[in-house]
């Protein structure tokens, strides 16, 4: 697993910190070296030699042979001017043919090799932007315009993906995006803009300004896929951004106007919330003049061929999903958003660090060689997003500077609750509750917290089927929320009629807070036996510690699990202490090895000492601040009081155990004074506890400062989040 980007902090608990570096590489099969030059005839075979100038059939009809010739010309060694009729003919083709994998690779090799002098990649990208401009400027968009834009986006993504995966230079010279702006047809091309800036402006402007509709959904889908390909240059860098890194397209995205940035973030979030569906029949008349399948022709044996065109051969279009909420557009919108908000661009050595707020630097910039980063406008836009139900002016009356992302937090809250089983949705929820104060506050005042918490607790319950990174993110979210006392009080007052996914026992009419305690302790026990991850232990205990003083009517099962947690950790502690003593007495020839083993044992013993102390603090906090409201906790402590005896005189625990024994003495004495006919039963003991809880005044209890944990990101969170976001994308194939 990647190193978690966090550490809980407490004034009386030293955080445990470990790091492991990791590097992402593209998992692609090695491909043969590019051939020195591909000819049109080579690619057109077995159709026969292609003519020097490709031609459509009569009246522009696209025969299979004509389509072959057009593609042979695109990847060939002849450079077609940007104003050539060739580009219109190519992009208007109703592309339906299937090419086997070897022919696709052959075409890609030829395109990459010949692109050095044809500059066809830059030209088709410019044509894509022109098509998008036509789509946004026209009051009614014709099928021909949509077809050209979709084809341009898809053809571009095919060849871009190949070039990026096989690039050898760090500065992406293989893309060959520098074109002669004096060429005929480029008179309207902005002279002060690069091709990559022009492209990103056009694509982002379309995504942000055009609503998803049955007509535009296919184009939106292709543009989102193209965005992922354009930004995938990050996969060829290390896990930590460096000043020498060059990512031409995503860097260009960071330079866009604030109005475009805000509209893109808002539209991607709305796509996630609304979950627009692409028509499941896999075709639309907009792509074919005769109403036939056209570019979206369904392919029956997608597994048998690697298809160059069309792209839409995945199962999403072949059969409806079992879950009605599945939306490829929503999923891809979220993935694009995550990559945009977590990107970090280092300030290079020859740049001065501005002080006007345009840049941000790492929190450790006082440390020599610590990186400084340009401010990420997409991250800033997400963090400043506002609920559409409230005015853009904040409570102090300070209006927001510039465009603001505005959407319904209620709809976003509900969408997250529905989609949290998806790992990327968990990362979005983390981004919002950590970075956006308004959204965090909105979540905390909701009365239906179970909408978010039940999916989170169910995933933690099934921790064995989740990745370590996913478990980390879920726990961080709970830790951030548990920092708020209102949240801790609310979860104990929200009663759940049942918990169907909890298999060990029936849980009826249990509070959400009790369920949280049970699941967190279960996660600790699973971690102790399987993962043995100190971070995970610490964060589970941190959440429980934050909840402790606010416990209200904790269930019998949750109370028993809390005391049994102390018992389990104490037995582990005793074994380590015994092992340490045995090692100290044992003489070994290899003294250096013995010292290393002894140091490891001492470190682990120290860790478990801290864990035991935190559990004692949790129990102590409940008994000190909430005893009258938690008779089941008193019963559990009375029932298992022998587990505390070995630590009564321990220097790290004795002050906390004094309070526990004050409670034990009080209730034991009340039981001794009680005249009872027959044996004590559970009901009779609880009746006595409830009766004496009302007279409990806390006399003799020592008041300790409440143990509170807060979430703090590591100094270099980008080392975790950038590779993590890309792994989510790669895991989807």
């Amino acid at each position: 697993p990647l190193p978690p980007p966090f550490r809980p902090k407490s004034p009386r608990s030293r955080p445990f910190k470990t790091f492991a570096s990791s590097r992402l590489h593209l998992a692609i099969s090695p491909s043969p070296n590019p051939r020195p030059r591909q000819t049109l005839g080579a690619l057109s075979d077995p159709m026969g030699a292609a003519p020097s100038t490709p031609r459509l059939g009569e009246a522009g009809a696209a025969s299979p042979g004509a389509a072959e010739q057009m593609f042979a010309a695109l990847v060939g060694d002849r450079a077609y001017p940007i104003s050539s009729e060739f580009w219109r003919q190519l992009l208007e083709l109703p592309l339906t043919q299937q090419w086997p994998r070897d022919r696709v690779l052959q075409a890609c090799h030829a395109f990459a090799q010949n692109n050095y002098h044809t500059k066809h990649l830059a030209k088709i990208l410019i044509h894509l932007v022109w098509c998008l401009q036509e789509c946004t400027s026209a009051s009614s968009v014709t099928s021909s315009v949509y077809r050209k834009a979709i084809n341009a986006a898809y053809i571009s993504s095919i060849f871009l993906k190949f070039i990026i995966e096989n690039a050898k230079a760090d500065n992406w010279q293989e893309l060959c995006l520098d074109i002669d702006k004096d060429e005929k047809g480029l008179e309207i091309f902005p002279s002060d803009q690069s091709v990559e800036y022009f492209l990103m402006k056009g694509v982002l402007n379309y995504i942000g300004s055009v609503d998803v509709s049955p007509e535009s959904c296919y184009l939106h889908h292709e543009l989102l896929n193209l965005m992922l390909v354009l930004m995938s240059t990050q996969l060829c860098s290390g896990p930590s951004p460096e000043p020498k890194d060059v990512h031409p397209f995503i860097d260009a995205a960071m330079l866009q106007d604030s109005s475009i940035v805000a509209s893109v973030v808002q539209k991607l979030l709305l796509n996630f919330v609304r979950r627009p569906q692409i028509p499941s029949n896999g075709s639309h008349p907009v792509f074919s003049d005769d109403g036939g399948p056209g570019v979206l022709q369904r392919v029956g044996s997608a597994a048998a061929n690697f298809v160059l065109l069309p792209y839409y051969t995945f199962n999403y279009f072949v059969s409806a999903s079992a879950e009605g909420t599945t939306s490829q557009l929503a999923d891809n919108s979220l993935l694009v958003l995550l990559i945009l908000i977590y990107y970090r661009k280092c300030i290079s050595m020859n740049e001065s660090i501005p002080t006007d707020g345009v840049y941000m630097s790492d929190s450790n910039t006082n440390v020599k060689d610590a990186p400084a980063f340009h401010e990420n406008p997409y991250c800033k836009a997400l963090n400043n997003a506002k609920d559409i139900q409230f005015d853009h002016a904040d409570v102090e009356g300070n209006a927001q500077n510039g465009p603001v992302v505005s959407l319904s937090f209620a709809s976003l809250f509900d969408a997250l609750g529905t989609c949290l089983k998806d790992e990327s949705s968990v990362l979005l929820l983390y981004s919002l509750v950590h970075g956006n104060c308004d959204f965090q506050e909105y979540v905390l005042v909701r009365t239906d917290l179970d909408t978010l918490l039940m999916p989170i607790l169910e995933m933690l319950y099934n921790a064995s089927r989740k990745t370590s990174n996913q478990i980390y993110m879920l726990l961080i979210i709970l830790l951030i929320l548990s920092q708020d006392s209102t949240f801790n009080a609310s979860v104990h007052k929200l009663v759940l009629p049942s918990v169907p996914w909890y298999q060990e026992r029936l849980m009826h009419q249990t509070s959400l807070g009790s369920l949280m305690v049970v699941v967190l302790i279960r996660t600790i026990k699973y971690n102790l036996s399987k993962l043995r991850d100190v971070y995970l232990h610490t964060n589970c205990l941190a959440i429980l510690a934050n909840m402790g003083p606010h416990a209200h009517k904790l269930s019998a099962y949750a109370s028993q699990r809390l005391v049994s947690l102390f018992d389990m950790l104490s037995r582990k502690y005793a074994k380590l202490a015994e092992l340490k003593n045995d090692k100290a007495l044992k003489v070994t020839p290899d003294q250096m090895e013995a010292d290393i083993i002894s140091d490891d044992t001492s470190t682990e013993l120290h860790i478990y000492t801290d864990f035991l102390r935190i559990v004692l603090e949790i129990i102590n906090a409940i008994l000190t601040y909430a005893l009258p409201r938690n008779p089941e906790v008193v019963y559990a402590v009375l029932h298992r009081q022998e587990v505390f005896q070995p630590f009564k005189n321990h220097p790290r625990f004795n002050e906390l155990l004094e309070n526990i024994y004050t409670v034990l003495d009080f209730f034991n004495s009340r039981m001794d004074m009680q005249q009872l006919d027959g044996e004590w039963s559970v009901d009779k003991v609880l009746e006595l506890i409830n009766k004496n809880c009302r007279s409990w005044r806390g006399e003799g209890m020592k008041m300790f400062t409440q143990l509170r944990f807060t979430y703090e990101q590591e100094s270099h969170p980008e080392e975790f989040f950038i590779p993590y976001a890309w792994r989510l994308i790669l895991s989807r194939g």
Side-chain angles (χ1 to χ4, degrees):
L2 295 165
F6 60 92
R7 57 173 181 268
K9 296 197 74 176
S10 167
R12 290 186 286 135
S13 177
R14 184 171 174 269
F16 310 104
K17 184 175 180 181
T18 59
F19 263 109
S21 62
S22 62
R23 184 177 290 268
L24 274 182
H25 296 281
L26 272 175
I28 58 172
S29 303
S31 54
N33 293 327
R35 302 184 183 184
R37 181 151 314 219
Q38 299 286 356
T39 65
L40 302 183
L43 267 176
S44 295
D45 185 73
M47 304 302 299
S52 59
T53 302
R55 301 181 189 279
L56 292 178
E58 290 186 17
S63 66
E68 292 271 352
Q69 293 173 12
M70 298 297 292
F71 271 98
L74 175 66
V75 305
D77 58 359
R78 176 181 173 181
Y80 286 88
I82 199 164
S83 58
S84 170
E85 186 69 8
F86 164 77
W87 297 104
R88 183 190 64 78
Q89 294 179 349
L90 173 72
L91 298 180
E92 286 186 350
L93 283 175
L95 302 162
T96 57
Q97 73 274 20
Q98 301 174 45
W99 284 10
R101 175 182 172 81
D102 60 335
R103 295 202 66 205
V104 176
L105 287 176
Q106 186 184 8
C108 289
H109 279 300
F111 184 89
Q113 181 68 29
N114 294 324
N115 185 54
Y116 282 102
H117 69 276
T118 64
K119 305 296 178 69
H120 278 180
L121 178 60
K123 292 172 184 176
I124 197 170
L125 292 175
I126 292 172
H127 274 283
L128 167 61
V129 177
W130 288 343
C131 292
L132 294 176
Q133 290 173 348
E134 194 174 350
C135 288
T136 53
S137 61
S139 56
S140 60
V141 184
T142 65
S143 61
S144 174
V145 174
Y146 272 127
R147 177 189 296 163
K148 287 195 296 182
I150 290 173
N151 288 352
Y154 181 67
I155 295 170
S156 301
S157 67
I158 288 287
F159 295 116
L160 271 166
K161 182 176 183 291
F162 178 84
I163 293 173
I164 290 172
E165 287 179 346
N166 294 276
K168 296 178 174 58
D170 292 336
N171 57 1
W172 306 104
Q173 290 179 347
E174 292 93 339
L175 295 171
C176 303
L177 297 176
D178 52 326
I179 61 170
D180 181 8
K181 294 181 181 178
D182 294 328
E183 181 182 329
K184 181 183 177 183
L186 287 177
E187 295 83 5
I188 60 173
F189 189 92
S191 59
D192 59 337
Q193 293 181 14
S194 63
V195 171
E196 51 267 36
Y197 182 91
F198 182 68
L199 170 68
M200 297 308 288
K201 182 177 181 179
V203 172
L204 292 171
N205 183 63
Y206 184 88
I207 291 173
S209 63
V210 178
D211 291 331
V212 177
S213 67
E215 291 75 28
S216 68
C217 62
Y218 300 102
L219 179 53
H220 274 279
H221 185 80
E222 277 306 337
L223 292 177
L224 291 171
N225 283 327
L226 176 62
M227 283 289 295
L228 292 176
V229 172
L230 291 169
M231 298 187 293
S232 67
T233 54
Q234 282 187 283
L235 290 169
C236 301
S237 301
S240 182
E242 297 180 15
K244 66 179 179 62
D245 290 343
V246 176
H247 303 294
F249 300 108
I250 194 168
D251 286 343
M254 296 296 141
L255 299 175
Q256 300 300 321
D257 293 341
S258 59
S259 59
I260 291 181
V261 170
S263 67
V264 167
V265 173
Q266 179 165 308
K267 189 55 63 69
L268 294 175
L269 284 172
L270 287 174
N271 288 348
F272 171 75
V273 170
R274 294 170 179 170
R275 314 198 69 72
Q277 300 292 318
I278 300 177
S280 59
N281 62 1
S283 64
H284 194 278
V286 71
F287 302 107
S288 177
D289 294 332
D290 59 1
V295 73
L296 297 180
Q297 181 185 41
R298 291 164 67 175
V299 179
S301 56
N305 296 293
F306 278 79
V307 183
L308 175 61
L309 290 165
Y311 175 72
Y312 301 91
T313 59
F314 45 81
N315 289 334
Y316 179 82
F317 289 98
V318 177
S319 61
S321 170
E323 294 187 22
T325 56
T326 299
S327 168
Q328 193 75 24
L329 271 172
D331 294 344
N332 284 4
S333 295
L334 177 53
L335 293 174
V336 169
L337 179 62
L338 292 175
I339 296 301
L340 286 171
I341 64 173
Y342 282 113
Y343 179 66
R344 293 294 179 269
K345 175 69 173 176
C346 282
I347 296 177
S348 61
M349 301 298 289
N350 56 359
E351 284 184 276
S352 60
I353 301 179
T355 57
D356 59 0
V358 176
Y359 300 85
M360 64 176 287
S361 60
D362 187 84
S363 57
N364 291 338
T365 45
N366 58 327
V367 181
K368 185 179 180 181
D369 298 329
F373 300 113
H374 289 272
E375 184 176 63
N376 182 319
Y378 298 88
C379 181
K380 183 180 179 181
L382 183 70
N383 291 344
N384 292 329
K386 301 294 179 184
D387 191 347
I388 200 169
Q389 296 181 6
F390 295 94
D391 190 74
H392 290 168
D394 59 29
V395 290
E396 286 82 18
N398 300 320
Q400 294 289 327
N401 293 323
V404 176
V405 175
S406 180
L407 74 162
S408 167
F409 280 2
S411 299
L412 182 56
F413 181 91
D414 292 339
L416 285 164
T418 303
C419 303
L420 274 184
K421 290 185 180 179
D422 176 58
E423 204 166 346
S424 54
S425 298
V426 174
L427 184 52
L428 175 62
L429 176 59
Y430 162 79
S431 307
L432 288 165
V433 297
H434 176 251
N436 189 307
C437 297
D438 288 350
F439 185 78
Q440 184 191 112
E441 184 178 337
Y442 176 84
V443 171
L444 293 171
V445 300
R446 286 280 294 228
T447 56
D448 58 341
L449 284 167
D450 54 314
T451 301
L452 281 185
L453 294 186
M454 287 298 280
I456 291 175
L457 295 176
E458 183 178 359
M459 285 187 283
L460 288 175
Y461 176 80
N462 295 310
S464 60
R465 295 180 231 160
K466 306 300 176 185
T467 65
S468 297
N469 292 334
Q470 192 171 6
I471 297 173
Y472 289 144
M473 300 312 302
L474 295 169
L475 290 175
I476 297 170
I477 291 167
L478 292 179
L479 178 58
I480 292 172
L481 297 176
S482 73
Q483 293 169 194
D484 184 82
S485 57
T486 305
F487 168 85
N488 293 323
S490 298
V491 294
H492 286 289
K493 295 175 183 176
L494 202 162
V495 177
L496 305 168
S498 64
V499 186
W501 43 262
Y502 198 91
Q503 300 296 316
E504 281 78 358
R505 63 183 292 145
L506 291 174
M507 300 185 77
H508 292 302
Q509 298 300 316
T510 189
S511 70
L512 184 57
S514 294
L515 180 62
M516 284 182 66
V517 170
V518 169
V519 171
L520 287 169
I521 291 172
R522 189 178 186 276
T523 305
I524 293 172
K525 290 187 174 183
Y526 167 75
N527 180 54
L528 192 64
S529 62
K530 302 290 183 183
L531 302 179
R532 302 175 63 81
D533 186 326
V534 172
Y535 267 111
L536 200 148
H537 265 339
T538 307
N539 281 273
C540 287
L541 292 172
I543 299 164
L544 290 170
N546 287 346
M547 294 174 64
H550 308 278
H552 183 85
K553 294 184 179 179
L554 207 63
S555 70
Y557 185 50
S559 303
Q560 293 163 17
R561 304 315 293 161
L562 186 59
V563 176
S564 71
L565 174 63
F566 179 84
D567 181 37
M568 182 186 68
L569 293 174
S570 66
R571 284 187 271 111
K572 180 67 175 176
Y573 173 89
K575 287 182 180 178
L576 288 169
E578 184 180 350
L579 184 63
K580 182 183 178 183
N581 292 334
D582 290 345
K583 292 277 172 42
L585 297 172
K586 191 175 182 180
V587 179
T588 176
D590 192 342
Q591 191 58 43
M592 182 177 293
E593 183 181 348
D595 290 343
I596 293 173
I597 295 174
S598 179
D599 288 343
D600 290 343
T601 305
S602 297
T603 301
E604 196 171 1
L605 188 64
H606 177 74
I607 289 171
Y608 276 90
T609 304
D610 283 349
F611 287 162
L612 278 171
R613 182 172 175 88
I614 294 174
V615 177
L616 282 177
E617 294 243 26
I618 295 166
I619 297 172
N620 189 72
I622 296 173
L623 297 179
T624 303
Y625 298 101
L627 185 146
R629 304 191 301 272
N630 292 281
E632 293 288 359
V633 177
V634 176
Y635 180 90
V637 172
L638 278 171
H639 182 62
R640 299 291 306 278
Q641 55 188 288
E642 74 281 355
V643 303
F644 302 105
Q645 184 62 40
F647 301 94
K648 196 170 183 179
N649 298 316
H650 193 290
R652 287 287 307 277
F653 307 139
N654 56 357
E655 58 179 4
L656 292 168
L657 282 168
E658 284 179 17
N659 276 355
I660 293 176
Y661 273 96
T662 297
V663 173
L664 286 171
D665 292 343
F666 177 84
F667 285 95
N668 280 328
S669 64
R670 298 303 186 275
M671 290 182 69
D672 292 341
M673 290 188 296
Q674 184 76 26
Q675 298 294 327
L676 187 69
D677 295 330
E679 296 291 326
W680 283 99
S681 67
V682 174
D683 291 338
K684 289 178 179 178
V685 173
L686 274 174
E687 183 182 351
L688 181 140
I689 291 172
N690 277 304
K691 179 181 176 182
N692 286 281
C693 274
R694 290 192 285 270
S695 61
W696 169 259
R697 297 292 178 268
E699 296 173 0
M701 297 285 282
K702 292 183 179 178
M703 303 298 290
F704 296 101
T705 304
Q706 289 185 18
L707 184 63
R708 292 196 59 200
F709 289 84
T710 57
Y711 168 73
E712 179 184 286
Q713 276 191 346
E714 291 286 2
S715 57
H716 301 290
E718 69 281 351
E719 293 181 1
F720 174 86
F721 286 111
I722 293 175
Y724 182 40
W726 277 108
R727 282 186 177 176
L728 293 179
I729 294 171
L730 295 177
S731 68
R732 295 170 181 265

